[in-house]
Amino acid sequence: MAVHSDLIICEHCDSLYQRLPLKRGDVARCVRCGAVLERGQRFNLEQLLALTIAAGILFIFANVFPVIHISMQGLSNEATLWQSVDALAQGRITLIALVAGLAIIFAPMLQIALLSWVLAYAYAGRIAPGFKLCMRSLEQLRPWSMLEVCLLGILVSIIKLAGMVKVVPGVGLWAIAMLTVLIILIAGKGIQRLWDELGVPVE
Amino acid sequence: MNLPPYASELQLCLCHTCGYACPVDAHRCPRCDSMIHRRKPDSISRTWAFLVASLIFYIPANLLPVMFTDILGHGSENTIMSGVLEFWEAGSWDIALVIFIASVVVPCMKFSLLALLLITCQRRSRWAMRERSRLFRFVELVGYWSMLDVLVVALVAALVQFRALSTIEPRLGILFFGLVVVLTMFAAMSFDPRLIWDAEVDDVR
């Protein structure tokens, strides 16, 4: 059977192209609709794996340490990501706590875990057990991972509270800022390259 | 300009999961086993359904309070707009603008742009196809930033818990607002941008 992985189809307008080799930083765009078809690889597998492990460590920091610390007339309080999600889990509105929890905790966590799994095997030149399921889940999770919105939310909250109480950003905030950048670098559409690079067989 | 052929003309179809060019008569991608469709199934009616549902939820999201603030026994409830106005009147026009864009401009723009795309696709319009394609990518890109307000309420409510002195609690409005964001995201996901270009081709389903 003919192998079609040297063909690219634009997901926005269904145009068909022959794949060309791209250099680092090159971007292939569809001439019909202007959408990005493919980007030149920024990192090799080893670097991607390293960044994923770094993201895992930052994720732990982001969740263990409080993101904001406030004090007011001798009283003080601080909140971690989990406590913020938990603050929404009240009676009738609990549903929204699930959405927020997915967006800022569970989706990034699963992305990091799945990426570590498939990349660790890919680094050894092998296809991870459950590779297809992992890659499909990564595709599904991408739109629900909202760490960059969370980062802006923390900044808005700091400004919002600054008029009322004394606000100190916590260690968690710095970890989230760095983690946001890493997730954008490692969990984008570029990860689809693994299908070709590992030579996943076509039935 | 010489334009590339459409994949459907060559009996090929894109797998959204792995990017493989599958033969159109396959039901599952031969490489990754995902379901494949020439076009997303019932794209237009599903998108309309999600869009109308989110529009309905947008009403209570704006009318009901999203937050309850209690300072020294003096309680007040805030809706999304009153929160924006409070910042504006306090002189923080920049932060008022950020919240206004994230929670009013972005959802309203999403409603109208998706409706525009749906109507033009239903009429198989060939008007400004490239620009409409770009509009859709823009809608996908900005949509989830509306979650901002939900996360701000969560953080503030988690922090300000000083029993007698002051407390902040989330209120029902934030549930509806969050659901609006989720539903508009589903709407954008179920819309198939290839429908914009199908106006040029005759027999694609």
Side-chain angles (χ1 to χ4, degrees):
Chain A
M1 186 178 168
V3 175
H4 292 308
S5 65
D6 53 343
L7 297 175
I8 309 185
I9 300 176
C10 173
E11 61 171 327
H12 287 273
C13 69
D14 214 25
S15 301
L16 184 68
Y17 297 90
Q18 194 84 43
R19 174 169 277 140
L20 295 173
L22 294 181
K23 285 197 295 292
R24 188 172 185 238
D26 283 355
V27 180
R29 284 182 182 278
C30 174
V31 293
R32 184 174 272 131
C33 74
V36 173
L37 291 170
E38 202 179 24
R39 286 177 197 279
Q41 308 298 351
R42 233 193 237 106
F43 304 108
N44 59 31
L45 287 182
E46 194 176 3
Q47 290 166 325
L48 268 184
L49 181 60
L51 289 176
T52 309
I53 294 168
I57 297 168
L58 283 171
F59 180 83
I60 295 171
F61 273 72
N63 278 277
V64 169
F65 292 102
V67 288
I68 307 180
H69 183 97
I70 62 170
S71 53
M72 175 192 189
Q73 300 179 5
L75 295 169
S76 71
N77 202 359
E78 51 192 26
T80 60
L81 284 184
W82 177 257
Q83 286 165 335
S84 314
V85 171
D86 192 45
L88 288 178
Q90 296 191 354
R92 288 184 297 176
I93 67 166
T94 306
L95 182 60
I96 201 62
L98 293 179
V99 177
L102 175 72
I104 64 174
I105 300 179
F106 296 117
M109 183 175 78
L110 281 170
Q111 281 181 308
I112 295 169
L114 294 171
L115 278 169
S116 315
W117 179 250
V118 294
L119 285 171
Y121 274 89
Y123 179 54
R126 290 166 54 197
I127 299 171
F131 181 79
K132 293 178 180 180
L133 180 66
C134 292
M135 293 295 280
R136 263 207 300 270
S137 313
L138 280 170
E139 276 315 296
Q140 304 281 334
L141 280 171
R142 192 176 307 121
W144 302 104
S145 173
M146 305 187 193
L147 273 179
E148 52 273 47
V149 185
C150 177
L151 188 61
L152 185 63
I154 296 171
L155 299 180
V156 169
S157 309
I158 289 178
I159 300 171
K160 194 169 179 141
L161 292 171
M164 205 168 118
V165 292
K166 187 169 176 293
V167 189
V168 183
V171 174
L173 173 61
W174 307 116
I176 291 169
M178 287 185 277
L179 181 58
T180 305
V181 177
L182 285 187
I183 292 270
I184 293 170
L185 289 177
I186 60 176
K189 258 206 141 40
I191 196 65
Q192 281 187 359
R193 74 199 243 201
L194 286 183
W195 292 102
D196 283 330
E197 284 181 16
L198 292 173
V200 178
V202 175
E203 284 157 29
Chain B
M1 192 167 56
N2 210 356
L3 286 172
Y6 284 112
S8 56
E9 293 169 344
L10 289 149
Q11 306 303 310
L12 288 173
C13 159
L14 171 76
C15 166
H16 277 273
T17 307
C18 72
Y20 190 71
C22 309
V24 271
D25 46 4
H27 291 288
R28 287 181 179 276
C29 169
R31 183 159 71 172
C32 73
D33 293 340
S34 313
M35 296 286 276
I36 50 169
H37 308 280
R38 292 183 87 165
R39 298 292 176 263
K40 292 179 189 169
D42 304 322
S43 173
I44 294 210
S45 35
R46 283 191 198 187
T47 312
W48 270 124
F50 283 124
L51 189 62
V52 171
S54 60
L55 260 174
I56 294 170
F57 280 12
Y58 194 58
I59 300 167
N62 276 290
L63 294 181
L64 294 174
V66 292
M67 209 164 77
F68 172 78
T69 317
D70 180 14
I71 299 174
L72 300 168
H74 181 78
S76 65
E77 287 186 321
N78 270 106
T79 60
I80 287 174
M81 263 325 278
S82 75
V84 172
L85 286 176
E86 223 166 70
F87 272 116
W88 186 268
E89 280 158 11
S92 328
W93 61 270
D94 36 10
I95 202 83
L97 202 64
V98 170
I99 301 181
F100 183 74
I101 290 175
S103 36
V104 182
V105 177
V106 169
C108 289
M109 201 170 60
K110 243 182 134 170
F111 296 141
S112 44
L113 291 183
L114 275 175
L116 173 84
L117 288 170
L118 283 167
I119 293 167
T120 48
C121 281
Q122 275 175 322
R123 299 172 59 111
R124 295 178 72 88
S125 157
R126 293 191 183 198
W127 164 73
M129 291 193 287
R130 203 181 155 87
E131 287 70 21
R132 281 191 286 140
S133 208
R134 195 170 297 153
L135 265 187
F136 176 70
R137 291 200 291 276
F138 179 68
V139 167
E140 264 193 325
L141 189 75
V142 298
Y144 68 109
W145 284 95
S146 307
M147 267 315 221
L148 183 71
D149 233 24
V150 175
L151 296 174
V152 169
V153 169
L155 276 160
V156 172
L159 280 166
V160 185
Q161 293 296 339
F162 297 120
R163 303 192 186 290
L165 278 176
S166 66
T167 52
I168 292 181
E169 285 170 23
R171 282 284 185 264
L172 195 56
I174 204 69
L175 170 67
F176 285 104
F177 191 77
L179 291 178
V180 169
V181 182
V182 171
L183 286 169
T184 53
M185 280 177 71
F186 277 131
M189 284 177 205
S190 51
F191 181 76
D192 194 329
R194 290 171 294 188
L195 293 172
I196 298 170
W197 299 88
D198 282 348
E200 287 193 331
V201 192
D202 281 335
D203 54 351
V204 181
R205 294 247 118 234

